[in-house]
Amino acid sequence: MKQLGTESNIKLIDEKGLRIDGRSPEELRPIKIEVDVLNRADGSALIEWGGNKILAAVYGPREAYPKHNQDINKAIVKARYNMEAYSVDERKRPGPDRRSMEISKVLSEALETAIMVEQFPRAQIDVFIEVMQADAGTRIAGLTAASVALAAAGIPMRDFVAGCTAGKVDGQIVLDLCKEEDNFGQADLPIAIMPKSGRIVLLQMDGDLTVEEVEKATGMIMGAIKKIAEIQRNALLTKFSVTQTEGGE
Amino acid sequence: MTKIREIVLPGDPIDLKGAKARNGLYKNAEGVYCSSYFGVIQRGDQSVDVVPFTGTYMPRRGDKVIGKIIEIGPSMWIVDIGAPYASLMHMNDVPWRSSSGDLKRSLNVGEFVYAKVLSTNEINESWLTLKDVGLRKLEGGSVISIPSPKVPRVIGKGGNMVNLIKDSTQTRIMVGQNGLIWLDGAPENVMLAISAIEMVKNEAHTVGLTDRIAEFLKSKKGETVGN
């Protein structure tokens, strides 16, 4: 790289078909999830997904305030996606902005599908998603961590929520974009599903893809989510691994 | 506990083996029963439950709970019982006579009560009563909190766990279904009882816990006598 920001001369996929960070087109970045990292939260999870470092904390269900926001039939899920000022290369102006408010909304709705909100009328479930280090795909990484934190908080859910991105880079469909591919690629398609039923709870697209490309990308994501769901399960199970040695079958 | 404790996660299908699904399970679109919690399966003779590792308390009629008075209305006390919603206690539901507007004379903000859930409704409002044997205002002592799904483990089969802790630490203990526990006694005894309860909380999902707690209390007692 000679000059940062000059997009034309960056080659995202080399002659061998490997990507800028050495991955193959269908390879995920390394993912690590740690559960219950915060004592005061009802449930929390820290996810490290490639260069992303995201903390998710869950509080509640508790009575919804202000009172006019209460729903007599179900709990309201309030996810707050927030990027720290130091999470990106150039300082991000702190506080909510257009982008983070949109992401908060779609994440709330994605989580609400999985949570049994009808069990907690008039209540509110708070999910705080703090991006401490961003490296593309923060919304689905935050969502993946948030669903683990919800399970750790003992909130009844139909299923986990797990997500992944795919995109078009140098004319080729690749899985799990990294920062350079996200910035200089042609399209980005984050999808989140409930892994057991395969129901889609979040789907957004940035850039243009043909129908065939969307199908190919979706197929890749569906395969990757199986692996991500396994990482989510193991993160929770390792916390109670005592059982396997002491109380297991 | 001789039962096998099998861990499940939300959405995991559960083989009922002919028994009936009870708490913590739901039927998915294909009609298969699945877990709705991260917890352990508890198989009874006729029913299957999923007991979550943690979670908030939801009031049920007849539960005996410990609550903290957080607000006083003209004829009601508003009580925090650790549920998502505050609970109400009307002045007619206490065993002493109180007149409207003068409720704080008998029970003030910040004080604790050991009360029973009188009724609940479909939007999870609940009312408490102090009119039953053993229910009272809690004076002195200290209150700690554990996740409500772990309360059955602290009580033990037929109360053997809590009695063990009571007897060997010589403290008075009251366990509310909502996970609040009131303890009273000499400070060092209370501290020991708290550490025993913490141990139960942290190892609630293991087998043979009562024996380990007995051992733990014995060793700690030996220490104090030795000093």
Side-chain angles (χ1 to χ4, degrees):
Chain A
M1 254 187 278
K2 278 168 267 168
Q3 242 187 319
L4 278 173
T6 49
E7 45 191 296
S8 51
N9 53 12
I10 291 184
K11 219 165 171 227
L12 292 167
I13 295 180
D14 69 7
E15 304 77 39
K16 286 185 219 147
L18 288 179
R19 289 149 72 178
I20 197 157
D21 50 3
R23 286 183 292 154
S24 69
E26 284 202 52
E27 200 177 328
L28 280 168
R29 290 176 286 177
I31 304 172
K32 201 178 108 194
I33 305 176
E34 200 183 326
V35 182
D36 277 347
V37 286
L38 302 175
N39 284 339
R40 233 79 73 195
D42 293 316
S44 58
L46 174 69
I47 188 166
E48 288 174 30
W49 183 322
N52 290 313
K53 278 199 178 71
I54 300 166
L55 189 62
V58 172
Y59 296 81
R62 53 191 181 187
E63 196 162 359
Y65 283 110
K67 262 194 161 161
H68 67 259
N69 276 351
Q70 290 183 356
D71 189 328
I72 201 85
N73 296 312
K74 61 180 178 64
I76 49 175
V77 179
K78 263 193 189 165
R80 180 169 148 268
Y81 169 97
N82 184 41
M83 257 178 141
E84 300 298 340
Y86 50 80
S87 64
V88 278
D89 282 342
E90 230 167 279
R91 184 185 124 98
K92 183 208 170 270
R93 210 175 106 93
D97 51 23
R98 242 174 105 98
R99 177 176 170 274
S100 64
M101 279 162 80
E102 177 201 304
I103 296 175
S104 299
K105 181 180 176 290
V106 292
L107 296 191
S108 301
E109 283 165 7
L111 291 170
E112 202 180 301
T113 345
I115 300 171
M116 296 181 170
V117 281
E118 62 284 353
Q119 285 188 18
F120 306 101
R122 303 189 289 132
Q124 152 179 339
I125 297 165
D126 286 309
V127 183
F128 296 96
I129 298 163
E130 296 289 331
V131 180
M132 298 181 287
Q133 190 173 292
D135 187 41
T138 53
R139 73 191 68 191
I140 44 95
L143 188 61
T144 305
S147 110
V148 174
L150 282 166
I155 289 169
M157 292 198 291
R158 273 171 262 277
D159 200 347
F160 281 101
V161 175
C164 193
T165 58
K168 192 170 158 190
V169 173
D170 283 356
Q172 202 181 330
I173 300 295
V174 294
L175 186 73
D176 191 18
L177 304 184
C178 71
K179 192 170 136 247
E180 292 76 18
E181 292 169 335
D182 191 33
N183 289 351
F184 307 118
Q186 287 119 47
D188 178 18
L189 177 79
I191 293 183
I193 65 166
M194 297 203 279
K196 285 262 158 53
S197 59
R199 278 181 64 192
I200 292 174
V201 292
L202 181 147
L203 193 155
Q204 294 185 304
M205 189 165 81
D206 184 11
D208 293 320
L209 291 174
T210 64
V211 175
E212 292 77 47
E213 284 168 341
V214 169
E215 269 167 13
K216 193 178 175 205
T218 315
M220 274 182 173
I221 290 172
M222 293 295 177
I225 280 176
K226 286 208 182 75
K227 286 179 209 154
I228 296 162
E230 204 50 46
I231 296 167
Q232 287 182 312
R233 293 178 68 87
N234 290 336
L236 285 162
L237 290 175
T238 46
K239 219 204 138 212
F240 286 88
S241 55
V242 207
T243 318
Q244 263 99 49
T245 54
E246 284 187 68
E249 282 139 287
Chain B
M1 282 269 170
T2 45
K3 272 183 199 138
I4 295 159
R5 304 200 148 222
E6 190 187 332
I7 296 184
V8 284
L9 292 135
D12 283 1
I14 291 170
D15 182 12
L16 294 178
K17 293 176 185 151
K20 255 165 89 178
R22 216 163 50 179
N23 300 320
L25 288 93
Y26 77 98
K27 213 178 193 172
N28 72 4
E30 285 99 59
V32 181
Y33 279 98
C34 298
S35 168
S36 42
Y37 291 105
F38 172 41
V40 288
I41 300 183
Q42 203 153 49
R43 291 186 191 275
D45 297 331
Q46 276 141 43
S47 58
V48 178
D49 295 274
V50 173
V51 182
F53 283 125
T54 172
T56 45
Y57 170 73
M58 290 305 264
R60 268 178 318 185
R61 206 176 131 220
D63 275 1
K64 287 182 176 166
V65 297
I66 291 174
K68 185 185 184 185
I69 311 292
I70 50 169
E71 221 175 298
I72 298 176
S75 62
M76 301 250 216
W77 285 278
I78 299 167
V79 190
D80 177 14
I81 54 169
Y85 329 90
S87 198
L88 303 166
M89 186 163 69
H90 194 258
M91 62 176 192
N92 291 346
D93 290 324
V94 294
W96 58 82
R97 279 191 64 85
S98 37
S99 55
S100 181
D102 198 23
L103 296 181
K104 67 170 177 238
R105 237 217 317 230
S106 48
L107 204 52
N108 210 341
V109 171
E111 291 183 303
F112 285 91
V113 286
Y114 185 59
K116 191 173 84 174
V117 179
L118 188 67
S119 63
T120 58
N121 65 11
E122 48 286 292
I123 56 164
N124 286 335
E125 288 174 321
S126 61
W127 287 267
L128 301 177
T129 177
L130 281 183
K131 277 188 175 171
D132 205 346
V133 277
L135 305 180
R136 59 189 179 89
K137 172 183 171 183
L138 297 171
E139 281 167 292
S142 44
V143 173
I144 61 161
S145 147
I146 61 160
S148 71
K150 301 210 165 143
V151 166
R153 287 295 270 174
V154 172
I155 294 171
K157 264 212 183 100
N160 63 7
M161 183 76 84
V162 71
N163 286 336
L164 169 77
I165 299 172
K166 269 187 203 170
D167 293 343
S168 44
T169 61
Q170 287 152 355
T171 47
R172 291 196 295 154
I173 302 175
M174 274 177 150
V175 185
Q177 281 296 323
N178 56 343
L180 292 185
I181 301 170
W182 174 85
L183 310 102
D184 194 17
E188 61 272 18
N189 291 342
V190 169
M191 291 310 285
L192 180 57
I194 290 175
S195 53
I197 291 168
E198 285 282 316
M199 192 172 155
V200 178
K201 183 185 95 180
N202 294 332
E203 298 174 24
H205 56 291
T206 60
V207 176
L209 190 54
T210 317
D211 300 336
R212 285 212 303 285
I213 295 291
E215 224 166 85
F216 167 76
L217 288 168
K218 221 177 185 175
S219 69
K220 284 285 171 183
K221 228 173 179 183
E223 270 172 38
T224 46
V225 171
N227 291 338

